Amino acid sequence: KPISGINAHPKATKCCMCARAFCLRRARRHLTRPRAAELPVNEQTIVVRVKSVTYEADRVNAYDLRLPDGGELPPFKAGAHIDVRMGAGATRSFSLVNPEHERHRYVIGVALDEASRGGSRYMHDRVRAGDRLMILPPVNNFALVEDAPHTVLIAGGIGVAPILCMARRLAALGRSWELHYAARTRGRSEEHTS
C-alpha cells in the first residue's frame, strides 16, 4: 500500500513495520538529495554523473565521476583536487587519485569521518551510482615538481590519496622517489595504500 505524507517517496510502499521504516528512511534520503539542476550554477560548474561507487577499505569509498555525455573533463596534474557541491551552499574538496592522462573521468577517495560535519557523511550516505553532482574544475595547490632529482613523499591516513597519484606520476616519468607513510594501525596503512 502506498505511503503518504510529507516525507514519503511516491514509490515507497509498506508491508510491515520494518519495511515501512526502511522505505521512509530511503524516501527521506531521496527527498533530501539535491539534484544537480537545483543547485546554483556558474560558468565554471561542471555537472558529472557518478559512474560507480567502489568500496576500497573500511570506511573508504572511491567515486568515479564522468561527464553525462562521455566527453573529456578538464586536464589536471598529480596533487590536484576538485570541489564538490553538496547543496545548501556546502562545498568540500577531494583529491583526485586517478592518473592525469585519464581525461574521461575523475576518481576521488572519500574516508568517512565519524566527526564529519557533512562532507564525507554526505558522500557515504547519499551519493550513489547514477547520481549527478556539481563540481568545480581541478585546482592544484599542491603541485608536484616533476624534474627534481629525487622526491621524498610524506603522507598519513587518507591524506595519502594525492601522494599516491604523485608517486604513480613519478614512476611513469622514471624519476627517483621514496614514500614515508604513517597510519594508526598496519591494517589501516594497507587499506589506504592498496
Side-chain angles (χ1 to χ4, degrees):
K1 152 179 174 186
I3 299 172
S4 60
I6 192 162
N7 291 323
H9 183 273
K11 294 184 180 177
T13 59
K14 67 177 179 175
C15 60
C16 67
M17 286 304 288
C18 69
R20 180 175 184 265
F22 172 77
C23 292
L24 286 176
R25 278 195 306 272
R26 186 173 176 196
R28 284 188 188 107
R29 180 176 56 92
H30 178 78
L31 289 176
T32 57
R33 183 185 303 167
R35 295 176 188 3
E38 296 171 354
L39 297 172
V41 177
N42 67 37
E43 63 279 354
Q44 292 187 324
T45 303
I46 303 168
V47 177
V48 293
R49 183 176 303 277
V50 180
K51 171 78 171 158
S52 65
V53 179
T54 307
Y55 172 86
E56 294 293 326
D58 183 37
R59 300 179 317 130
V60 179
N61 289 341
Y63 297 81
D64 184 329
L65 311 176
R66 301 181 187 211
L67 290 174
D69 67 3
E72 283 194 345
L73 290 157
F76 69 95
K77 295 285 187 185
H81 71 272
I82 56 170
D83 289 339
V84 177
R85 295 265 192 73
M86 310 248 168
T91 301
R92 296 294 184 272
S93 298
F94 297 101
S95 296
L96 295 169
V97 299
N98 56 307
E100 59 190 67
H101 70 271
E102 292 184 352
R103 297 279 308 282
H104 67 288
R105 68 181 186 154
Y106 293 150
V107 179
I108 56 174
V110 180
L112 178 60
D113 180 359
E114 293 304 322
S116 173
R117 292 173 295 141
S120 67
R121 171 83 46 209
Y122 176 91
M123 295 296 289
H124 277 256
D125 290 352
R126 298 189 179 170
V127 177
R128 302 288 180 259
D131 287 352
R132 289 179 184 239
L133 295 175
M134 295 185 80
I135 64 171
L136 295 176
V139 174
N140 198 339
N141 298 325
F142 191 44
L144 174 65
V145 178
E146 295 182 346
D147 59 354
H150 181 75
T151 302
V152 177
L153 302 168
I154 302 170
I158 191 65
V160 75
I163 302 299
L164 286 176
C165 191
M166 291 177 173
R168 290 181 187 119
R169 176 67 180 160
L170 290 168
L173 294 172
R175 296 289 186 188
S176 172
W177 61 276
E178 61 186 276
L179 171 64
H180 298 268
Y181 177 71
R184 289 185 184 158
T185 66
R186 181 173 296 281
R188 274 270 164 90
S189 68
E190 291 167 357
E191 291 171 355
H192 291 306
T193 56
S194 58

mmCIF file of all heavy atoms in Angstrom, residues 99-146:
data_model
loop_
_atom_site.group_PDB
_atom_site.id
_atom_site.type_symbol
_atom_site.label_atom_id
_atom_site.label_comp_id
_atom_site.label_asym_id
_atom_site.label_seq_id
_atom_site.Cartn_x
_atom_site.Cartn_y
_atom_site.Cartn_z
ATOM 1 N N PRO A 99 45.260 8.598 -12.548
ATOM 2 C CA PRO A 99 46.356 9.187 -13.333
ATOM 3 C C PRO A 99 45.870 10.359 -14.174
ATOM 4 O O PRO A 99 44.738 10.362 -14.670
ATOM 5 C CB PRO A 99 46.817 8.039 -14.233
ATOM 6 C CG PRO A 99 46.307 6.798 -13.587
ATOM 7 C CD PRO A 99 45.056 7.182 -12.874
ATOM 8 N N GLU A 100 46.740 11.346 -14.346
ATOM 9 C CA GLU A 100 46.344 12.568 -15.047
ATOM 10 C C GLU A 100 46.044 12.366 -16.527
ATOM 11 O O GLU A 100 45.378 13.206 -17.127
ATOM 12 C CB GLU A 100 47.388 13.659 -14.843
ATOM 13 C CG GLU A 100 48.767 13.300 -15.317
ATOM 14 C CD GLU A 100 49.804 14.321 -14.879
ATOM 15 O OE1 GLU A 100 50.073 14.435 -13.672
ATOM 16 O OE2 GLU A 100 50.341 15.006 -15.765
ATOM 17 N N HIS A 101 46.472 11.276 -17.122
ATOM 18 C CA HIS A 101 46.156 11.047 -18.535
ATOM 19 C C HIS A 101 44.713 10.562 -18.727
ATOM 20 O O HIS A 101 44.210 10.557 -19.850
ATOM 21 C CB HIS A 101 47.143 10.059 -19.175
ATOM 22 C CG HIS A 101 46.992 8.652 -18.676
ATOM 23 N ND1 HIS A 101 47.677 8.189 -17.578
ATOM 24 C CD2 HIS A 101 46.222 7.632 -19.111
ATOM 25 C CE1 HIS A 101 47.344 6.931 -17.367
ATOM 26 N NE2 HIS A 101 46.455 6.563 -18.282
ATOM 27 N N GLU A 102 44.042 10.179 -17.658
ATOM 28 C CA GLU A 102 42.652 9.735 -17.756
ATOM 29 C C GLU A 102 41.722 10.948 -17.773
ATOM 30 O O GLU A 102 41.218 11.379 -16.745
ATOM 31 C CB GLU A 102 42.291 8.814 -16.579
ATOM 32 C CG GLU A 102 42.994 7.496 -16.616
ATOM 33 C CD GLU A 102 42.548 6.566 -15.499
ATOM 34 O OE1 GLU A 102 41.789 6.996 -14.601
ATOM 35 O OE2 GLU A 102 42.973 5.409 -15.528
ATOM 36 N N ARG A 103 41.493 11.483 -18.937
ATOM 37 C CA ARG A 103 40.665 12.681 -19.084
ATOM 38 C C ARG A 103 39.175 12.360 -19.146
ATOM 39 O O ARG A 103 38.342 13.245 -19.086
ATOM 40 C CB ARG A 103 41.082 13.434 -20.349
ATOM 41 C CG ARG A 103 42.503 13.959 -20.345
ATOM 42 C CD ARG A 103 42.633 15.261 -19.591
ATOM 43 N NE ARG A 103 41.686 16.267 -20.030
ATOM 44 C CZ ARG A 103 41.796 17.001 -21.136
ATOM 45 N NH1 ARG A 103 42.845 16.848 -21.924
ATOM 46 N NH2 ARG A 103 40.881 17.879 -21.450
ATOM 47 N N HIS A 104 38.827 11.086 -19.270
ATOM 48 C CA HIS A 104 37.418 10.698 -19.362
ATOM 49 C C HIS A 104 36.747 10.598 -17.996
ATOM 50 O O HIS A 104 35.531 10.439 -17.903
ATOM 51 C CB HIS A 104 37.274 9.357 -20.099
ATOM 52 C CG HIS A 104 37.856 8.203 -19.347
ATOM 53 N ND1 HIS A 104 39.225 8.016 -19.207
ATOM 54 C CD2 HIS A 104 37.261 7.185 -18.685
ATOM 55 C CE1 HIS A 104 39.439 6.923 -18.498
ATOM 56 N NE2 HIS A 104 38.258 6.405 -18.170
ATOM 57 N N ARG A 105 37.539 10.692 -16.892
ATOM 58 C CA ARG A 105 36.950 10.562 -15.562
ATOM 59 C C ARG A 105 37.816 11.243 -14.506
ATOM 60 O O ARG A 105 39.008 11.487 -14.713
ATOM 61 C CB ARG A 105 36.780 9.102 -15.194
ATOM 62 C CG ARG A 105 38.105 8.371 -14.988
ATOM 63 C CD ARG A 105 37.874 6.922 -14.643
ATOM 64 N NE ARG A 105 39.131 6.256 -14.313
ATOM 65 C CZ ARG A 105 39.222 5.202 -13.527
ATOM 66 N NH1 ARG A 105 38.136 4.699 -12.974
ATOM 67 N NH2 ARG A 105 40.381 4.652 -13.284
ATOM 68 N N TYR A 106 37.169 11.536 -13.389
ATOM 69 C CA TYR A 106 37.858 11.932 -12.165
ATOM 70 C C TYR A 106 37.507 10.875 -11.135
ATOM 71 O O TYR A 106 36.352 10.451 -11.029
ATOM 72 C CB TYR A 106 37.372 13.276 -11.631
ATOM 73 C CG TYR A 106 37.696 14.479 -12.484
ATOM 74 C CD1 TYR A 106 36.851 15.580 -12.470
ATOM 75 C CD2 TYR A 106 38.842 14.549 -13.270
ATOM 76 C CE1 TYR A 106 37.132 16.709 -13.221
ATOM 77 C CE2 TYR A 106 39.125 15.672 -14.027
ATOM 78 C CZ TYR A 106 38.267 16.755 -13.996
ATOM 79 O OH TYR A 106 38.549 17.865 -14.749
ATOM 80 N N VAL A 107 38.497 10.439 -10.349
ATOM 81 C CA VAL A 107 38.250 9.495 -9.269
ATOM 82 C C VAL A 107 38.694 10.154 -7.974
ATOM 83 O O VAL A 107 39.814 10.671 -7.882
ATOM 84 C CB VAL A 107 39.007 8.160 -9.478
ATOM 85 C CG1 VAL A 107 38.737 7.205 -8.314
ATOM 86 C CG2 VAL A 107 38.603 7.512 -10.796
ATOM 87 N N ILE A 108 37.795 10.154 -6.989
ATOM 88 C CA ILE A 108 38.117 10.696 -5.672
ATOM 89 C C ILE A 108 37.937 9.597 -4.637
ATOM 90 O O ILE A 108 37.078 8.728 -4.784
ATOM 91 C CB ILE A 108 37.249 11.923 -5.312
ATOM 92 C CG1 ILE A 108 35.749 11.588 -5.381
ATOM 93 C CG2 ILE A 108 37.586 13.104 -6.213
ATOM 94 C CD1 ILE A 108 34.840 12.711 -4.904
ATOM 95 N N GLY A 109 38.763 9.612 -3.615
ATOM 96 C CA GLY A 109 38.631 8.699 -2.489
ATOM 97 C C GLY A 109 38.092 9.478 -1.308
ATOM 98 O O GLY A 109 38.588 10.563 -0.995
ATOM 99 N N VAL A 110 37.070 8.926 -0.641
ATOM 100 C CA VAL A 110 36.449 9.625 0.483
ATOM 101 C C VAL A 110 36.414 8.704 1.693
ATOM 102 O O VAL A 110 35.772 7.648 1.658
ATOM 103 C CB VAL A 110 35.017 10.093 0.132
ATOM 104 C CG1 VAL A 110 34.395 10.827 1.316
ATOM 105 C CG2 VAL A 110 35.015 10.967 -1.113
ATOM 106 N N ALA A 111 37.117 9.094 2.749
ATOM 107 C CA ALA A 111 37.102 8.353 4.007
ATOM 108 C C ALA A 111 35.994 8.924 4.885
ATOM 109 O O ALA A 111 35.897 10.143 5.061
ATOM 110 C CB ALA A 111 38.442 8.473 4.722
ATOM 111 N N LEU A 112 35.151 8.061 5.421
ATOM 112 C CA LEU A 112 34.079 8.504 6.297
ATOM 113 C C LEU A 112 34.666 8.898 7.634
ATOM 114 O O LEU A 112 35.250 8.081 8.342
ATOM 115 C CB LEU A 112 33.038 7.394 6.477
ATOM 116 C CG LEU A 112 31.885 7.719 7.421
ATOM 117 C CD1 LEU A 112 31.101 8.936 6.918
ATOM 118 C CD2 LEU A 112 30.969 6.522 7.568
ATOM 119 N N ASP A 113 34.505 10.156 7.984
ATOM 120 C CA ASP A 113 34.975 10.692 9.258
ATOM 121 C C ASP A 113 33.796 10.689 10.217
ATOM 122 O O ASP A 113 32.760 11.290 9.929
ATOM 123 C CB ASP A 113 35.506 12.113 9.041
ATOM 124 C CG ASP A 113 36.028 12.755 10.304
ATOM 125 O OD1 ASP A 113 35.974 12.129 11.382
ATOM 126 O OD2 ASP A 113 36.490 13.910 10.210
ATOM 127 N N GLU A 114 33.942 10.010 11.343
ATOM 128 C CA GLU A 114 32.841 9.925 12.315
ATOM 129 C C GLU A 114 32.439 11.304 12.826
ATOM 130 O O GLU A 114 31.303 11.516 13.215
ATOM 131 C CB GLU A 114 33.231 9.015 13.481
ATOM 132 C CG GLU A 114 33.395 7.558 13.090
ATOM 133 C CD GLU A 114 32.160 6.969 12.419
ATOM 134 O OE1 GLU A 114 31.022 7.300 12.813
ATOM 135 O OE2 GLU A 114 32.324 6.179 11.474
ATOM 136 N N ALA A 115 33.353 12.255 12.812
ATOM 137 C CA ALA A 115 33.057 13.618 13.270
ATOM 138 C C ALA A 115 32.696 14.527 12.093
ATOM 139 O O ALA A 115 32.761 15.744 12.218
ATOM 140 C CB ALA A 115 34.259 14.177 14.023
ATOM 141 N N SER A 116 32.304 13.940 10.981
ATOM 142 C CA SER A 116 32.011 14.711 9.773
ATOM 143 C C SER A 116 30.922 15.748 10.018
ATOM 144 O O SER A 116 29.922 15.471 10.683
ATOM 145 C CB SER A 116 31.564 13.767 8.655
ATOM 146 O OG SER A 116 31.123 14.506 7.539
ATOM 147 N N ARG A 117 31.141 16.936 9.474
ATOM 148 C CA ARG A 117 30.139 17.998 9.535
ATOM 149 C C ARG A 117 29.341 18.046 8.237
ATOM 150 O O ARG A 117 28.635 18.992 7.987
ATOM 151 C CB ARG A 117 30.814 19.350 9.790
ATOM 152 C CG ARG A 117 31.428 19.427 11.175
ATOM 153 C CD ARG A 117 32.226 20.689 11.338
ATOM 154 N NE ARG A 117 33.364 20.650 10.414
ATOM 155 C CZ ARG A 117 33.813 21.692 9.741
ATOM 156 N NH1 ARG A 117 33.264 22.856 9.861
ATOM 157 N NH2 ARG A 117 34.839 21.564 8.931
ATOM 158 N N GLY A 118 29.470 17.008 7.417
ATOM 159 C CA GLY A 118 28.653 16.970 6.214
ATOM 160 C C GLY A 118 29.344 16.441 4.983
ATOM 161 O O GLY A 118 28.711 15.826 4.149
ATOM 162 N N GLY A 119 30.639 16.656 4.822
ATOM 163 C CA GLY A 119 31.318 16.274 3.597
ATOM 164 C C GLY A 119 31.384 14.785 3.368
ATOM 165 O O GLY A 119 30.741 14.241 2.469
ATOM 166 N N SER A 120 32.152 14.082 4.179
ATOM 167 C CA SER A 120 32.289 12.636 3.972
ATOM 168 C C SER A 120 30.995 11.910 4.315
ATOM 169 O O SER A 120 30.633 10.927 3.673
ATOM 170 C CB SER A 120 33.455 12.080 4.790
ATOM 171 O OG SER A 120 33.201 12.149 6.178
ATOM 172 N N ARG A 121 30.274 12.384 5.305
ATOM 173 C CA ARG A 121 28.990 11.765 5.662
ATOM 174 C C ARG A 121 28.011 11.878 4.495
ATOM 175 O O ARG A 121 27.329 10.926 4.135
ATOM 176 C CB ARG A 121 28.417 12.443 6.914
ATOM 177 C CG ARG A 121 27.028 12.054 7.275
ATOM 178 C CD ARG A 121 26.864 10.796 8.057
ATOM 179 N NE ARG A 121 27.794 10.701 9.163
ATOM 180 C CZ ARG A 121 28.237 9.542 9.635
ATOM 181 N NH1 ARG A 121 27.827 8.412 9.097
ATOM 182 N NH2 ARG A 121 29.077 9.499 10.625
ATOM 183 N N TYR A 122 27.950 13.038 3.867
ATOM 184 C CA TYR A 122 27.071 13.245 2.711
ATOM 185 C C TYR A 122 27.436 12.282 1.586
ATOM 186 O O TYR A 122 26.570 11.613 1.024
ATOM 187 C CB TYR A 122 27.201 14.690 2.228
ATOM 188 C CG TYR A 122 26.408 14.998 0.985
ATOM 189 C CD1 TYR A 122 25.108 15.463 1.070
ATOM 190 C CD2 TYR A 122 26.963 14.827 -0.277
ATOM 191 C CE1 TYR A 122 24.372 15.744 -0.069
ATOM 192 C CE2 TYR A 122 26.238 15.103 -1.419
ATOM 193 C CZ TYR A 122 24.945 15.565 -1.308
ATOM 194 O OH TYR A 122 24.232 15.833 -2.440
ATOM 195 N N MET A 123 28.717 12.192 1.269
ATOM 196 C CA MET A 123 29.147 11.323 0.173
ATOM 197 C C MET A 123 28.803 9.861 0.471
ATOM 198 O O MET A 123 28.287 9.154 -0.386
ATOM 199 C CB MET A 123 30.640 11.479 -0.090
ATOM 200 C CG MET A 123 31.066 12.844 -0.586
ATOM 201 S SD MET A 123 30.408 13.286 -2.195
ATOM 202 C CE MET A 123 31.335 12.199 -3.269
ATOM 203 N N HIS A 124 29.075 9.393 1.677
ATOM 204 C CA HIS A 124 28.842 7.991 2.022
ATOM 205 C C HIS A 124 27.358 7.654 2.158
ATOM 206 O O HIS A 124 26.927 6.578 1.753
ATOM 207 C CB HIS A 124 29.576 7.620 3.315
ATOM 208 C CG HIS A 124 31.010 7.281 3.090
ATOM 209 N ND1 HIS A 124 31.476 5.987 3.099
ATOM 210 C CD2 HIS A 124 32.083 8.063 2.840
ATOM 211 C CE1 HIS A 124 32.778 5.985 2.865
ATOM 212 N NE2 HIS A 124 33.175 7.236 2.707
ATOM 213 N N ASP A 125 26.580 8.560 2.730
ATOM 214 C CA ASP A 125 25.176 8.258 2.996
ATOM 215 C C ASP A 125 24.246 8.547 1.827
ATOM 216 O O ASP A 125 23.208 7.918 1.700
ATOM 217 C CB ASP A 125 24.679 9.050 4.209
ATOM 218 C CG ASP A 125 25.277 8.566 5.516
ATOM 219 O OD1 ASP A 125 25.967 7.527 5.511
ATOM 220 O OD2 ASP A 125 25.053 9.242 6.544
ATOM 221 N N ARG A 126 24.601 9.493 0.969
ATOM 222 C CA ARG A 126 23.628 9.939 -0.022
ATOM 223 C C ARG A 126 24.028 9.755 -1.480
ATOM 224 O O ARG A 126 23.167 9.683 -2.342
ATOM 225 C CB ARG A 126 23.307 11.410 0.215
ATOM 226 C CG ARG A 126 22.679 11.612 1.565
ATOM 227 C CD ARG A 126 22.171 12.982 1.716
ATOM 228 N NE ARG A 126 21.556 13.111 3.033
ATOM 229 C CZ ARG A 126 21.181 14.229 3.543
ATOM 230 N NH1 ARG A 126 21.325 15.344 2.874
ATOM 231 N NH2 ARG A 126 20.634 14.266 4.733
ATOM 232 N N VAL A 127 25.299 9.735 -1.782
ATOM 233 C CA VAL A 127 25.703 9.693 -3.191
ATOM 234 C C VAL A 127 25.792 8.242 -3.662
ATOM 235 O O VAL A 127 26.474 7.417 -3.054
ATOM 236 C CB VAL A 127 27.049 10.422 -3.404
ATOM 237 C CG1 VAL A 127 27.504 10.314 -4.841
ATOM 238 C CG2 VAL A 127 26.908 11.901 -3.001
ATOM 239 N N ARG A 128 25.089 7.967 -4.765
ATOM 240 C CA ARG A 128 25.021 6.628 -5.328
ATOM 241 C C ARG A 128 25.359 6.662 -6.809
ATOM 242 O O ARG A 128 25.293 7.714 -7.454
ATOM 243 C CB ARG A 128 23.607 6.040 -5.163
ATOM 244 C CG ARG A 128 23.111 5.958 -3.726
ATOM 245 C CD ARG A 128 23.844 4.863 -2.962
ATOM 246 N NE ARG A 128 23.400 4.764 -1.588
ATOM 247 C CZ ARG A 128 24.053 5.269 -0.543
ATOM 248 N NH1 ARG A 128 25.163 5.924 -0.708
ATOM 249 N NH2 ARG A 128 23.600 5.113 0.684
ATOM 250 N N ALA A 129 25.687 5.514 -7.366
ATOM 251 C CA ALA A 129 25.926 5.418 -8.810
ATOM 252 C C ALA A 129 24.684 5.917 -9.535
ATOM 253 O O ALA A 129 23.562 5.599 -9.156
ATOM 254 C CB ALA A 129 26.231 3.977 -9.200
ATOM 255 N N GLY A 130 24.906 6.717 -10.572
ATOM 256 C CA GLY A 130 23.813 7.291 -11.340
ATOM 257 C C GLY A 130 23.456 8.697 -10.934
ATOM 258 O O GLY A 130 22.832 9.436 -11.696
ATOM 259 N N ASP A 131 23.842 9.119 -9.719
ATOM 260 C CA ASP A 131 23.552 10.483 -9.270
ATOM 261 C C ASP A 131 24.362 11.488 -10.061
ATOM 262 O O ASP A 131 25.446 11.178 -10.569
ATOM 263 C CB ASP A 131 23.894 10.659 -7.788
ATOM 264 C CG ASP A 131 22.915 9.963 -6.868
ATOM 265 O OD1 ASP A 131 21.881 9.457 -7.361
ATOM 266 O OD2 ASP A 131 23.185 9.914 -5.654
ATOM 267 N N ARG A 132 23.857 12.689 -10.130
ATOM 268 C CA ARG A 132 24.598 13.799 -10.734
ATOM 269 C C ARG A 132 25.117 14.686 -9.625
ATOM 270 O O ARG A 132 24.419 14.934 -8.645
ATOM 271 C CB ARG A 132 23.706 14.596 -11.675
ATOM 272 C CG ARG A 132 23.378 13.850 -12.934
ATOM 273 C CD ARG A 132 22.476 14.668 -13.823
ATOM 274 N NE ARG A 132 22.103 13.893 -14.984
ATOM 275 C CZ ARG A 132 22.359 14.269 -16.230
ATOM 276 N NH1 ARG A 132 22.967 15.399 -16.469
ATOM 277 N NH2 ARG A 132 21.992 13.511 -17.234
ATOM 278 N N LEU A 133 26.344 15.150 -9.799
ATOM 279 C CA LEU A 133 26.964 16.076 -8.847
ATOM 280 C C LEU A 133 27.461 17.293 -9.604
ATOM 281 O O LEU A 133 27.764 17.215 -10.796
ATOM 282 C CB LEU A 133 28.156 15.418 -8.146
ATOM 283 C CG LEU A 133 27.876 14.233 -7.231
ATOM 284 C CD1 LEU A 133 29.193 13.642 -6.737
ATOM 285 C CD2 LEU A 133 27.016 14.655 -6.055
ATOM 286 N N MET A 134 27.559 18.390 -8.891
ATOM 287 C CA MET A 134 28.157 19.588 -9.464
ATOM 288 C C MET A 134 29.539 19.745 -8.846
ATOM 289 O O MET A 134 29.693 19.657 -7.630
ATOM 290 C CB MET A 134 27.293 20.799 -9.181
ATOM 291 C CG MET A 134 25.953 20.699 -9.866
ATOM 292 S SD MET A 134 24.975 22.173 -9.662
ATOM 293 C CE MET A 134 25.731 23.181 -10.908
ATOM 294 N N ILE A 135 30.517 19.934 -9.716
ATOM 295 C CA ILE A 135 31.899 20.099 -9.257
ATOM 296 C C ILE A 135 32.481 21.347 -9.902
ATOM 297 O O ILE A 135 31.940 21.876 -10.871
ATOM 298 C CB ILE A 135 32.771 18.873 -9.590
ATOM 299 C CG1 ILE A 135 32.906 18.693 -11.115
ATOM 300 C CG2 ILE A 135 32.207 17.612 -8.922
ATOM 301 C CD1 ILE A 135 33.918 17.635 -11.518
ATOM 302 N N LEU A 136 33.588 21.780 -9.367
ATOM 303 C CA LEU A 136 34.364 22.850 -9.981
ATOM 304 C C LEU A 136 35.608 22.230 -10.595
ATOM 305 O O LEU A 136 36.059 21.166 -10.165
ATOM 306 C CB LEU A 136 34.729 23.906 -8.944
ATOM 307 C CG LEU A 136 33.533 24.666 -8.360
ATOM 308 C CD1 LEU A 136 33.986 25.627 -7.277
ATOM 309 C CD2 LEU A 136 32.764 25.403 -9.434
ATOM 310 N N PRO A 137 36.179 22.861 -11.616
ATOM 311 C CA PRO A 137 37.363 22.296 -12.274
ATOM 312 C C PRO A 137 38.510 22.061 -11.288
ATOM 313 O O PRO A 137 38.580 22.708 -10.239
ATOM 314 C CB PRO A 137 37.750 23.362 -13.304
ATOM 315 C CG PRO A 137 36.512 24.151 -13.525
ATOM 316 C CD PRO A 137 35.764 24.121 -12.219
ATOM 317 N N PRO A 138 39.414 21.161 -11.625
ATOM 318 C CA PRO A 138 40.532 20.852 -10.726
ATOM 319 C C PRO A 138 41.399 22.071 -10.420
ATOM 320 O O PRO A 138 41.611 22.933 -11.269
ATOM 321 C CB PRO A 138 41.351 19.821 -11.510
ATOM 322 C CG PRO A 138 40.405 19.253 -12.506
ATOM 323 C CD PRO A 138 39.452 20.353 -12.838
ATOM 324 N N VAL A 139 41.867 22.092 -9.187
ATOM 325 C CA VAL A 139 42.787 23.123 -8.708
ATOM 326 C C VAL A 139 43.974 22.379 -8.113
ATOM 327 O O VAL A 139 43.801 21.362 -7.446
ATOM 328 C CB VAL A 139 42.120 24.006 -7.625
ATOM 329 C CG1 VAL A 139 43.109 24.971 -7.022
ATOM 330 C CG2 VAL A 139 40.920 24.730 -8.200
ATOM 331 N N ASN A 140 45.168 22.892 -8.347
ATOM 332 C CA ASN A 140 46.347 22.230 -7.799
ATOM 333 C C ASN A 140 47.140 23.208 -6.951
ATOM 334 O O ASN A 140 47.953 23.974 -7.460
ATOM 335 C CB ASN A 140 47.216 21.645 -8.916
ATOM 336 C CG ASN A 140 48.175 20.609 -8.389
ATOM 337 O OD1 ASN A 140 48.477 20.573 -7.206
ATOM 338 N ND2 ASN A 140 48.660 19.761 -9.271
ATOM 339 N N ASN A 141 46.894 23.172 -5.649
ATOM 340 C CA ASN A 141 47.655 23.974 -4.688
ATOM 341 C C ASN A 141 48.815 23.173 -4.121
ATOM 342 O O ASN A 141 49.481 23.605 -3.187
ATOM 343 C CB ASN A 141 46.748 24.423 -3.534
ATOM 344 C CG ASN A 141 45.619 25.297 -4.004
ATOM 345 O OD1 ASN A 141 45.779 26.086 -4.927
ATOM 346 N ND2 ASN A 141 44.463 25.143 -3.389
ATOM 347 N N PHE A 142 49.036 21.998 -4.675
ATOM 348 C CA PHE A 142 49.992 21.033 -4.138
ATOM 349 C C PHE A 142 50.737 20.386 -5.298
ATOM 350 O O PHE A 142 50.804 19.182 -5.440
ATOM 351 C CB PHE A 142 49.168 19.999 -3.353
ATOM 352 C CG PHE A 142 49.959 19.068 -2.500
ATOM 353 C CD1 PHE A 142 50.996 19.496 -1.709
ATOM 354 C CD2 PHE A 142 49.632 17.724 -2.481
ATOM 355 C CE1 PHE A 142 51.701 18.612 -0.918
ATOM 356 C CE2 PHE A 142 50.323 16.830 -1.696
ATOM 357 C CZ PHE A 142 51.359 17.286 -0.909
ATOM 358 N N ALA A 143 51.272 21.242 -6.161
ATOM 359 C CA ALA A 143 51.861 20.768 -7.413
ATOM 360 C C ALA A 143 53.133 19.955 -7.189
ATOM 361 O O ALA A 143 53.966 20.286 -6.342
ATOM 362 C CB ALA A 143 52.156 21.948 -8.327
ATOM 363 N N LEU A 144 53.275 18.928 -7.968
ATOM 364 C CA LEU A 144 54.451 18.068 -7.948
ATOM 365 C C LEU A 144 55.547 18.688 -8.798
ATOM 366 O O LEU A 144 55.304 19.124 -9.927
ATOM 367 C CB LEU A 144 54.075 16.693 -8.516
ATOM 368 C CG LEU A 144 55.205 15.687 -8.709
ATOM 369 C CD1 LEU A 144 55.804 15.299 -7.367
ATOM 370 C CD2 LEU A 144 54.684 14.470 -9.443
ATOM 371 N N VAL A 145 56.763 18.733 -8.261
ATOM 372 C CA VAL A 145 57.916 19.178 -9.044
ATOM 373 C C VAL A 145 58.445 17.939 -9.755
ATOM 374 O O VAL A 145 59.096 17.087 -9.149
ATOM 375 C CB VAL A 145 58.997 19.821 -8.139
ATOM 376 C CG1 VAL A 145 60.209 20.231 -8.959
ATOM 377 C CG2 VAL A 145 58.420 21.001 -7.380
ATOM 378 N N GLU A 146 58.137 17.833 -11.031
ATOM 379 C CA GLU A 146 58.432 16.606 -11.774
ATOM 380 C C GLU A 146 59.891 16.444 -12.168
ATOM 381 O O GLU A 146 60.322 15.346 -12.471
ATOM 382 C CB GLU A 146 57.552 16.534 -13.027
ATOM 383 C CG GLU A 146 56.081 16.400 -12.705
ATOM 384 C CD GLU A 146 55.212 16.291 -13.937
ATOM 385 O OE1 GLU A 146 55.698 16.571 -15.066
ATOM 386 O OE2 GLU A 146 54.044 15.909 -13.799
#
